[in-house]
Amino acid sequence: NIFSTLTGKYLNVKQAGYVSHSKRINDGLSYSIAMTMGTVTFPILTKHKDNLVTFKEETHSIYKTIPLILFPFLMLTAVYSTEIISLLFGNQWTESGKYLTGFMFAGIFLVLEALLYGFIKALCVVDRLAFVTIYKRIIGIGIIIATMILFPRFVIEGYVLSSLVGFVANSLLFCKISNTNFTTLLQETAIYIAPSGIVFALLYTAKVLLSIDLIWSLVLSWGLIVIYYFVFLRFFGIKILDSIKRLIGNSIAC
């Protein structure tokens, strides 16, 4: 919320408008996913909070499944950000596309931060969680303000960095209270993010660098997504339809 206020103060009117329109989509997508995941996972994990072994097994499964299933959608939005902005707000706002792309990358860390937040809260470590939340928000807001004052052209990069700070802070706390190795968690995170990064790189190369026609680009995207969800995810032991049914079932139960 502070971010929207700051953009109006430190950016020119046109740039602030571009950021505002792209953030509206980000709020509707990244934040919705993050909040939904927190709501769904919390009651499930509280059932296992007294058994740390089972708790860690459950969190590991969730932490693997959610990024592998949802992050490709964020990357698709990043690739077709200009077209999405044009469709929703008109061609005069297409400049917002580059900001939306940055917000989608920040969305990755927002979702991961929200997942870890739910894990920590399920263990009822609310005192340290409150302290870490205040600390990371102060740092994050400081980064955004410094970026807007010193390098306003890189305001989205500052936002991504502040989101990364939030993720790292929650990671450190979760690892400490669950006896999880921090380096191992980061390595697993990189593995779960990497496939979505590859999806983005392939589609971006085809659409932008090779200038493939939009229709053929969409066909390529559809084919790549089908292969990803119904073939590639099986290497991670994830059956997409079963995973979706489980998530929906847990949501209804909660």
Side-chain angles (χ1 to χ4, degrees):
N1 293 334
I2 292 176
F3 181 80
S4 299
T5 302
L6 292 175
T7 53
K9 179 177 178 60
Y10 291 105
L11 303 182
N12 62 59
V13 175
K14 183 178 291 186
Q15 191 176 17
Y18 293 147
V19 172
S20 175
H21 278 69
S22 58
K23 192 174 187 301
R24 286 168 62 184
I25 299 177
N26 174 67
D27 291 346
L29 188 58
S30 299
Y31 273 110
S32 296
I33 292 174
M35 295 304 101
T36 301
M37 291 304 101
T39 302
V40 171
T41 59
F42 176 71
I44 299 171
L45 294 175
T46 50
K47 300 176 183 178
H48 307 293
K49 66 183 180 66
D50 296 323
N51 186 332
L52 189 58
V53 174
T54 304
F55 181 87
K56 290 175 68 173
E57 290 175 351
E58 192 68 31
T59 56
H60 182 269
S61 175
I62 294 172
Y63 195 74
K64 175 180 71 173
T65 304
I66 298 302
L68 287 172
I69 290 179
L70 296 181
F71 286 177
F73 286 106
L74 298 183
M75 294 298 95
L76 277 175
T77 304
V79 171
Y80 294 102
S81 58
T82 301
E83 288 77 9
I84 292 172
I85 290 289
S86 178
L87 179 65
L88 294 178
F89 303 116
N91 293 330
Q92 68 271 28
W93 294 103
T94 53
E95 191 70 18
S96 299
K98 63 181 182 182
Y99 296 104
L100 179 58
T101 298
F103 276 126
M104 289 301 99
F105 281 96
I108 288 176
F109 298 115
L110 288 173
V111 172
L112 292 175
E113 178 186 354
L115 282 175
L116 292 167
Y117 182 92
F119 298 166
I120 297 167
K121 190 169 67 171
L123 288 174
C124 301
V125 191
V126 292
D127 51 348
R128 281 181 282 179
L129 181 59
F131 174 79
V132 169
T133 299
I134 294 172
Y135 183 74
K136 71 185 181 184
R137 291 297 176 241
I138 291 174
I139 296 177
I141 292 171
I143 291 173
I144 291 173
I145 293 176
T147 304
M148 288 186 178
I149 294 175
L150 301 175
F151 312 103
R153 291 180 56 191
F154 301 102
V155 60
I156 300 301
E157 286 79 357
Y159 185 81
V160 173
L161 181 58
S162 69
S163 302
L164 176 60
V165 168
F167 158 69
V168 171
N170 279 11
S171 298
L172 288 169
L173 179 57
F174 174 71
C175 290
K176 184 175 182 179
I177 65 176
S178 64
N179 297 321
T180 301
N181 184 275
F182 179 65
T183 303
T184 300
L185 179 65
L186 292 184
Q187 291 173 344
E188 292 177 347
T189 302
I191 291 172
Y192 303 149
I193 292 177
S196 298
I198 294 173
V199 169
F200 174 82
L202 290 174
L203 295 180
Y204 183 85
T205 299
K207 177 177 176 290
V208 179
L209 301 183
L210 299 181
S211 299
I212 292 179
D213 181 80
L214 178 60
I215 299 300
W216 285 109
S217 177
L218 291 173
V219 171
L220 175 63
S221 300
W222 174 252
L224 186 60
I225 289 300
V226 169
I227 293 173
Y228 176 86
Y229 280 111
F230 293 98
V231 178
F232 178 76
L233 284 187
R234 290 181 177 271
F235 289 102
F236 287 90
I238 297 176
K239 295 181 179 180
I240 183 64
L241 295 179
D242 292 341
S243 296
I244 293 175
K245 289 179 182 178
R246 182 185 178 192
L247 288 174
I248 294 175
N250 290 336
S251 301
I252 295 174
C254 296

